[in-house]
Coordinates of all heavy atoms in Angstrom, one line a residue:
M1 N 22.9 19.7 18.5 CA 21.6 19.1 18.9 C 21.9 18.1 20.0 O 22.9 17.4 20.0 CB 21.0 18.3 17.7 CG 19.5 18.3 17.8 SD 18.7 17.3 16.5 CE 19.2 18.2 15.0
D2 N 21.0 18.1 21.0 CA 21.1 17.2 22.1 C 21.1 15.7 21.7 O 20.2 15.3 21.0 CB 20.0 17.5 23.1 CG 20.0 16.7 24.3 OD1 20.8 15.8 24.5 OD2 19.1 16.9 25.2
S3 N 22.1 14.9 22.1 CA 22.1 13.5 21.5 C 20.9 12.7 22.1 O 20.5 11.8 21.4 CB 23.4 12.9 21.9 OG 23.5 12.7 23.3
K4 N 20.4 13.1 23.3 CA 19.2 12.3 23.8 C 18.0 12.6 22.8 O 17.2 11.7 22.6 CB 18.9 12.8 25.2 CG 19.6 12.1 26.2 CD 19.1 12.5 27.6 CE 20.0 12.0 28.7 NZ 20.0 12.8 29.9
F5 N 17.9 13.8 22.3 CA 16.8 14.1 21.4 C 17.0 13.3 20.1 O 16.1 12.7 19.6 CB 16.8 15.6 21.1 CG 15.8 16.0 20.0 CD1 14.5 16.1 20.3 CD2 16.2 16.3 18.7 CE1 13.6 16.4 19.4 CE2 15.3 16.6 17.8 CZ 14.0 16.7 18.1
V6 N 18.3 13.2 19.6 CA 18.5 12.4 18.4 C 18.1 11.0 18.6 O 17.4 10.4 17.7 CB 20.0 12.6 18.0 CG1 20.3 11.6 16.8 CG2 20.3 14.0 17.6
W7 N 18.5 10.4 19.7 CA 18.1 9.0 20.0 C 16.6 8.8 20.1 O 16.1 7.8 19.7 CB 18.9 8.5 21.2 CG 20.3 8.1 20.8 CD1 21.4 8.7 21.2 CD2 20.7 7.1 19.9 NE1 22.5 8.2 20.6 CE2 22.1 7.1 19.8 CE3 20.0 6.1 19.1 CZ2 22.8 6.3 19.0 CZ3 20.7 5.3 18.3 CH2 22.1 5.3 18.3
A8 N 15.9 9.8 20.7 CA 14.5 9.7 20.8 C 13.9 9.7 19.4 O 13.0 8.9 19.1 CB 13.9 10.9 21.6
V9 N 14.4 10.5 18.5 CA 13.8 10.6 17.1 C 14.2 9.3 16.4 O 13.3 8.7 15.8 CB 14.4 11.8 16.3 CG1 14.1 11.7 14.9 CG2 13.9 13.1 16.9
V10 N 15.4 8.8 16.6 CA 15.8 7.5 15.9 C 14.9 6.4 16.4 O 14.4 5.6 15.6 CB 17.3 7.2 16.2 CG1 17.6 5.8 15.8 CG2 18.1 8.2 15.4
S11 N 14.6 6.3 17.7 CA 13.8 5.2 18.2 C 12.4 5.3 17.7 O 11.7 4.3 17.4 CB 13.9 5.0 19.7 OG 13.8 6.2 20.3
V12 N 11.8 6.5 17.6 CA 10.5 6.7 17.1 C 10.4 6.2 15.6 O 9.5 5.5 15.2 CB 10.0 8.1 17.2 CG1 8.8 8.4 16.3 CG2 9.7 8.5 18.7
V13 N 11.5 6.6 14.8 CA 11.5 6.1 13.4 C 11.6 4.6 13.3 O 10.9 4.0 12.5 CB 12.7 6.8 12.7 CG1 13.0 6.2 11.4 CG2 12.5 8.3 12.6
I14 N 12.4 4.0 14.2 CA 12.5 2.5 14.2 C 11.1 1.9 14.5 O 10.7 1.0 13.8 CB 13.6 2.0 15.1 CG1 15.0 2.4 14.6 CG2 13.5 0.5 15.3 CD1 16.1 2.2 15.5
V15 N 10.4 2.4 15.5 CA 9.1 1.8 15.9 C 8.1 2.0 14.7 O 7.4 1.1 14.4 CB 8.6 2.5 17.2 CG1 7.1 2.2 17.4 CG2 9.5 2.0 18.4
V16 N 8.1 3.2 14.1 CA 7.2 3.5 13.0 C 7.5 2.5 11.8 O 6.6 1.9 11.3 CB 7.3 4.9 12.6 CG1 6.5 5.1 11.2 CG2 6.7 5.8 13.7
M17 N 8.8 2.4 11.5 CA 9.1 1.5 10.4 C 8.7 0.0 10.7 O 8.3 -0.7 9.8 CB 10.7 1.5 10.1 CG 11.0 2.8 9.4 SD 12.8 3.0 9.3 CE 13.3 1.6 8.4
H18 N 8.9 -0.4 12.0 CA 8.6 -1.7 12.4 C 7.0 -1.9 12.2 O 6.6 -2.9 11.7 CB 9.0 -2.0 13.8 CG 8.6 -3.4 14.3 ND1 9.3 -4.5 13.9 CD2 7.6 -3.8 15.0 CE1 8.8 -5.5 14.5 NE2 7.7 -5.2 15.1
N19 N 6.3 -0.9 12.6 CA 4.8 -1.0 12.5 C 4.3 -1.0 11.1 O 3.2 -1.4 10.8 CB 4.1 0.1 13.3 CG 4.3 -0.1 14.8 OD1 4.5 -1.3 15.2 ND2 4.1 0.9 15.6
M20 N 5.1 -0.5 10.1 CA 4.7 -0.4 8.7 C 4.9 -1.8 8.1 O 4.4 -2.0 7.0 CB 5.5 0.6 8.0 CG 4.9 2.0 8.2 SD 6.1 3.3 7.7 CE 6.6 2.8 6.1
Q21 N 5.6 -2.7 8.7 CA 5.7 -4.0 8.1 C 4.4 -4.7 8.1 O 3.7 -4.8 9.2 CB 6.7 -4.9 8.9 CG 8.1 -4.4 8.8 CD 8.7 -4.4 7.4 OE1 8.6 -5.3 6.7 NE2 9.3 -3.2 7.1
P22 N 3.9 -5.3 7.0 CA 2.6 -5.9 7.0 C 2.7 -7.2 7.8 O 3.7 -7.9 7.8 CB 2.3 -6.2 5.5 CG 3.7 -6.2 4.9 CD 4.6 -5.3 5.7
A23 N 1.5 -7.6 8.4 CA 1.5 -8.8 9.1 C 1.7 -10.0 8.1 O 2.3 -11.0 8.4 CB 0.1 -9.0 9.8
A24 N 1.1 -9.9 6.9 CA 1.3 -10.9 5.9 C 1.1 -10.1 4.6 O 0.3 -9.2 4.5 CB 0.2 -12.0 6.0
A25 N 1.9 -10.5 3.6 CA 1.8 -9.9 2.3 C 0.5 -10.4 1.6 O 0.1 -11.5 1.7 CB 3.0 -10.3 1.4
L26 N -0.2 -9.4 1.0 CA -1.5 -9.7 0.4 C -1.3 -9.7 -1.1 O -0.5 -9.1 -1.7 CB -2.5 -8.7 0.7 CG -3.0 -8.6 2.2 CD1 -3.9 -7.3 2.4 CD2 -3.7 -9.8 2.6
T27 N -2.2 -10.5 -1.8 CA -2.2 -10.4 -3.2 C -3.6 -9.7 -3.6 O -4.6 -10.2 -3.1 CB -2.2 -11.8 -3.9 OG1 -1.0 -12.4 -3.5 CG2 -2.3 -11.7 -5.4
H28 N -3.5 -8.6 -4.3 CA -4.7 -7.9 -4.7 C -5.0 -8.3 -6.1 O -4.2 -8.2 -7.0 CB -4.4 -6.4 -4.7 CG -3.9 -5.9 -3.4 ND1 -4.8 -5.5 -2.4 CD2 -2.7 -5.6 -2.9 CE1 -4.1 -5.1 -1.3 NE2 -2.8 -5.2 -1.6
I29 N -6.2 -8.8 -6.3 CA -6.7 -9.2 -7.6 C -7.1 -7.9 -8.3 O -8.1 -7.3 -7.9 CB -7.8 -10.3 -7.6 CG1 -7.3 -11.5 -6.7 CG2 -8.2 -10.7 -9.0 CD1 -6.1 -12.2 -7.2
V30 N -6.3 -7.5 -9.3 CA -6.6 -6.2 -10.0 C -8.0 -6.2 -10.6 O -8.3 -7.1 -11.4 CB -5.5 -5.9 -11.0 CG1 -5.8 -4.6 -11.7 CG2 -4.1 -5.8 -10.3
G31 N -8.8 -5.2 -10.3 CA -10.1 -5.1 -10.9 C -11.1 -5.9 -10.3 O -12.3 -5.9 -10.7
G32 N -10.8 -6.7 -9.3 CA -11.8 -7.6 -8.6 C -12.4 -8.6 -9.6 O -11.6 -9.2 -10.4
S33 N -13.7 -8.7 -9.5 CA -14.3 -9.7 -10.4 C -14.3 -9.3 -11.8 O -14.4 -10.2 -12.7 CB -15.8 -9.9 -9.9 OG -16.5 -8.7 -9.9
F34 N -14.1 -8.0 -12.1 CA -14.0 -7.6 -13.5 C -12.7 -8.1 -14.2 O -12.7 -8.5 -15.3 CB -14.0 -6.0 -13.6 CG -13.8 -5.5 -15.0 CD1 -14.8 -5.5 -15.9 CD2 -12.6 -5.0 -15.3 CE1 -14.6 -5.0 -17.2 CE2 -12.3 -4.5 -16.6 CZ -13.4 -4.5 -17.6
G35 N -11.6 -8.0 -13.4 CA -10.3 -8.5 -13.9 C -9.4 -7.4 -14.4 O -9.7 -6.2 -14.3
W36 N -8.3 -7.8 -15.0 CA -7.3 -6.9 -15.4 C -7.3 -6.8 -17.0 O -6.6 -7.7 -17.6 CB -5.9 -7.3 -14.9 CG -4.9 -6.3 -14.9 CD1 -4.9 -5.1 -15.5 CD2 -3.6 -6.3 -14.2 NE1 -3.8 -4.4 -15.3 CE2 -3.0 -5.1 -14.5 CE3 -3.0 -7.3 -13.4 CZ2 -1.7 -4.8 -14.0 CZ3 -1.8 -7.0 -12.9 CH2 -1.1 -5.8 -13.2
K37 N -8.1 -6.0 -17.5 CA -8.2 -5.9 -19.0 C -8.6 -4.4 -19.3 O -8.6 -3.6 -18.4 CB -9.2 -6.9 -19.5 CG -10.6 -6.8 -18.9 CD -11.4 -8.1 -19.2 CE -12.7 -8.0 -18.4 NZ -13.5 -9.3 -18.5
I38 N -8.9 -4.2 -20.5 CA -9.3 -2.8 -20.9 C -10.6 -2.4 -20.1 O -11.6 -3.1 -20.3 CB -9.4 -2.7 -22.4 CG1 -8.1 -3.0 -23.1 CG2 -9.9 -1.3 -22.8 CD1 -8.0 -2.8 -24.5
P39 N -10.4 -1.3 -19.3 CA -11.6 -1.0 -18.4 C -12.7 -0.3 -19.2 O -12.5 0.2 -20.3 CB -10.9 0.0 -17.4 CG -9.8 0.6 -18.2 CD -9.3 -0.5 -19.1
P40 N -13.9 -0.4 -18.6 CA -15.1 0.2 -19.3 C -15.0 1.7 -19.3 O -15.7 2.3 -20.1 CB -16.3 -0.3 -18.4 CG -15.7 -0.6 -17.1 CD -14.3 -1.1 -17.4
N41 N -14.2 2.3 -18.4 CA -14.1 3.8 -18.4 C -12.7 4.1 -17.8 O -12.1 3.2 -17.2 CB -15.2 4.5 -17.8 CG -15.5 3.9 -16.4 OD1 -14.5 3.9 -15.5 ND2 -16.7 3.5 -16.1
N42 N -12.3 5.4 -18.0 CA -11.0 5.8 -17.5 C -10.7 5.8 -16.0 O -9.6 5.8 -15.6 CB -10.6 7.2 -18.1 CG -10.4 7.2 -19.5 OD1 -10.1 6.2 -20.1 ND2 -10.6 8.3 -20.2
T43 N -11.8 5.8 -15.3 CA -11.7 5.9 -13.8 C -11.8 4.5 -13.1 O -11.7 4.4 -11.9 CB -12.7 6.9 -13.2 OG1 -14.0 6.4 -13.6 CG2 -12.5 8.3 -13.8
F44 N -12.1 3.5 -13.9 CA -12.4 2.2 -13.3 C -11.3 1.7 -12.3 O -11.5 1.3 -11.2 CB -12.6 1.1 -14.4 CG -12.9 -0.3 -13.8 CD1 -14.2 -0.6 -13.4 CD2 -11.9 -1.2 -13.7 CE1 -14.5 -1.8 -12.9 CE2 -12.2 -2.5 -13.2 CZ -13.5 -2.8 -12.8
Y45 N -10.0 1.7 -12.8 CA -8.9 1.2 -11.9 C -8.6 2.2 -10.8 O -8.1 1.9 -9.8 CB -7.7 0.9 -12.7 CG -7.9 -0.4 -13.5 CD1 -8.0 -0.4 -14.9 CD2 -8.1 -1.6 -12.8 CE1 -8.3 -1.6 -15.6 CE2 -8.4 -2.8 -13.5 CZ -8.5 -2.8 -14.9 OH -8.8 -4.0 -15.5
D46 N -8.8 3.5 -11.1 CA -8.7 4.5 -10.0 C -9.7 4.2 -8.8 O -9.3 4.1 -7.7 CB -9.1 5.9 -10.4 CG -7.9 6.6 -11.1 OD1 -6.8 6.1 -11.0 OD2 -8.1 7.7 -11.7
Q47 N -10.9 3.9 -9.2 CA -11.9 3.5 -8.2 C -11.6 2.2 -7.5 O -11.7 2.1 -6.3 CB -13.3 3.4 -8.9 CG -13.8 4.8 -9.4 CD -15.1 4.6 -10.2 OE1 -15.4 3.6 -10.7 NE2 -15.8 5.7 -10.4
W48 N -11.0 1.3 -8.3 CA -10.7 0.0 -7.7 C -9.5 0.2 -6.7 O -9.5 -0.3 -5.6 CB -10.2 -1.0 -8.8 CG -9.7 -2.2 -8.2 CD1 -10.4 -3.3 -7.7 CD2 -8.3 -2.6 -7.9 NE1 -9.6 -4.2 -7.1 CE2 -8.3 -3.8 -7.3 CE3 -7.1 -1.9 -8.2 CZ2 -7.1 -4.5 -7.0 CZ3 -5.9 -2.5 -7.9 CH2 -5.9 -3.8 -7.2
A49 N -8.5 1.0 -7.1 CA -7.3 1.2 -6.2 C -7.7 2.0 -4.9 O -7.1 1.7 -3.9 CB -6.3 2.0 -7.0
K50 N -8.7 2.8 -5.0 CA -9.1 3.6 -3.8 C -9.7 2.7 -2.8 O -9.8 3.1 -1.6 CB -10.1 4.7 -4.2 CG -9.4 5.9 -4.8 CD -10.4 7.0 -5.1 CE -9.6 8.1 -5.8 NZ -10.4 8.6 -7.0
T51 N -10.2 1.5 -3.2 CA -10.9 0.6 -2.2 C -9.8 -0.3 -1.6 O -10.2 -1.2 -0.8 CB -12.0 -0.2 -2.8 OG1 -11.5 -1.0 -3.9 CG2 -13.1 0.8 -3.4
H52 N -8.6 -0.2 -2.0 CA -7.5 -1.1 -1.5 C -6.4 -0.4 -0.8 O -6.1 0.7 -1.2 CB -6.9 -1.9 -2.6 CG -7.9 -3.0 -3.2 ND1 -9.0 -2.6 -3.9 CD2 -7.9 -4.3 -3.0 CE1 -9.7 -3.7 -4.2 NE2 -9.1 -4.8 -3.7
T53 N -5.9 -1.0 0.2 CA -4.7 -0.4 0.9 C -3.5 -1.3 0.5 O -3.5 -2.5 0.7 CB -4.9 -0.4 2.4 OG1 -6.0 0.3 2.7 CG2 -3.7 0.2 3.1
F54 N -2.5 -0.7 -0.1 CA -1.3 -1.4 -0.6 C -0.2 -1.3 0.3 O 0.2 -0.2 0.8 CB -0.9 -0.9 -2.0 CG -2.0 -1.1 -3.0 CD1 -2.9 0.0 -3.3 CD2 -2.2 -2.3 -3.7 CE1 -3.9 -0.1 -4.2 CE2 -3.2 -2.4 -4.6 CZ -4.1 -1.4 -4.9
N55 N 0.4 -2.4 0.7 CA 1.5 -2.4 1.6 C 2.7 -3.0 1.0 O 2.6 -3.7 -0.1 CB 1.1 -3.3 2.9 CG 0.1 -2.6 3.7 OD1 0.3 -1.5 4.2 ND2 -1.0 -3.3 3.9
L56 N 3.9 -2.8 1.6 CA 5.1 -3.3 1.2 C 5.0 -4.8 1.0 O 4.4 -5.5 1.9 CB 6.2 -3.0 2.3 CG 7.6 -2.9 1.9 CD1 7.8 -1.7 0.9 CD2 8.4 -2.6 3.1
N57 N 5.5 -5.4 0.0 CA 5.6 -6.8 -0.3 C 4.2 -7.4 -0.8 O 4.1 -8.6 -1.0 CB 6.0 -7.7 1.0 CG 7.4 -7.3 1.4 OD1 8.2 -7.0 0.6 ND2 7.7 -7.3 2.7
D58 N 3.2 -6.6 -0.9 CA 2.0 -7.0 -1.5 C 2.2 -7.4 -3.0 O 3.1 -6.8 -3.6 CB 0.9 -6.0 -1.4 CG 0.2 -5.9 0.0 OD1 0.7 -6.7 0.9 OD2 -0.7 -5.1 0.2
K59 N 1.3 -8.2 -3.5 CA 1.4 -8.5 -4.9 C 0.2 -8.2 -5.6 O -0.9 -8.1 -5.0 CB 1.7 -10.1 -5.1 CG 3.0 -10.5 -4.5 CD 3.2 -12.0 -4.8 CE 4.6 -12.5 -4.5 NZ 4.8 -12.5 -3.0
L60 N 0.3 -8.0 -6.9 CA -0.9 -7.8 -7.8 C -1.1 -9.1 -8.5 O -0.2 -9.6 -9.1 CB -0.7 -6.6 -8.7 CG -0.5 -5.2 -8.0 CD1 -0.2 -4.2 -9.1 CD2 -1.8 -4.9 -7.3
G61 N -2.3 -9.5 -8.5 CA -2.7 -10.7 -9.3 C -3.8 -10.5 -10.3 O -4.4 -9.4 -10.3
M62 N -4.0 -11.5 -11.1 CA -5.1 -11.4 -12.0 C -5.7 -12.8 -12.2 O -5.3 -13.7 -11.7 CB -4.7 -10.8 -13.4 CG -3.6 -11.5 -14.1 SD -3.0 -10.6 -15.5 CE -4.4 -10.6 -16.5
Ligands
NAG1 C1 -16.9 2.7 -14.7 O1 -17.3 1.4 -14.9 C2 -17.5 0.7 -13.7 C3 -17.9 -0.8 -14.1 O2 -18.9 -0.8 -15.1 C4 -18.6 1.3 -12.9 O3 -18.9 0.6 -11.7 C5 -18.2 2.8 -12.6 O4 -19.3 3.4 -11.9 C6 -17.9 3.5 -13.9 N1 -17.4 4.8 -13.5 C7 -17.8 5.9 -14.1 C8 -17.2 7.2 -13.7 O5 -18.7 5.9 -15.0

């Protein structure tokens, strides 16, 4: 493999990894105002999780 191609791939990977770093770690309050307890139905936390984007170093709170 052409070493220039390898370096191009490596630099793209480094840029992508850098961009994946969150600006600031967030704390997600599980369940929102409902809280973190036995849910009213089986899909409650699935629905909650779909409305959130989780990043590296984020925390879950309650
Ligand atoms: C589950 O319960 C939550 C909170 O009461 C409600 O908002 C949601 O629509 C319910 N989901 C289903 C599938 O019934």
Side-chain angles (χ1 to χ4, degrees):
M1 211 186 297
D2 180 358
S3 69
K4 274 185 190 155
F5 175 76
V6 172
W7 281 111
V9 171
V10 168
S11 45
V12 166
V13 168
I14 289 170
V15 167
V16 168
M17 283 171 62
H18 180 77
N19 288 341
M20 278 163 49
Q21 295 298 313
L26 293 173
T27 299
H28 302 278
I29 305 302
V30 176
S33 56
F34 174 78
W36 199 346
K37 54 195 175 190
I38 299 186
N41 54 53
N42 288 338
T43 59
F44 181 81
Y45 288 112
D46 275 349
Q47 290 173 343
W48 174 80
K50 280 182 187 135
T51 63
H52 288 74
T53 303
F54 299 96
N55 290 303
L56 208 63
N57 299 325
D58 281 2
K59 293 185 173 69
L60 294 176
M62 59 188 296

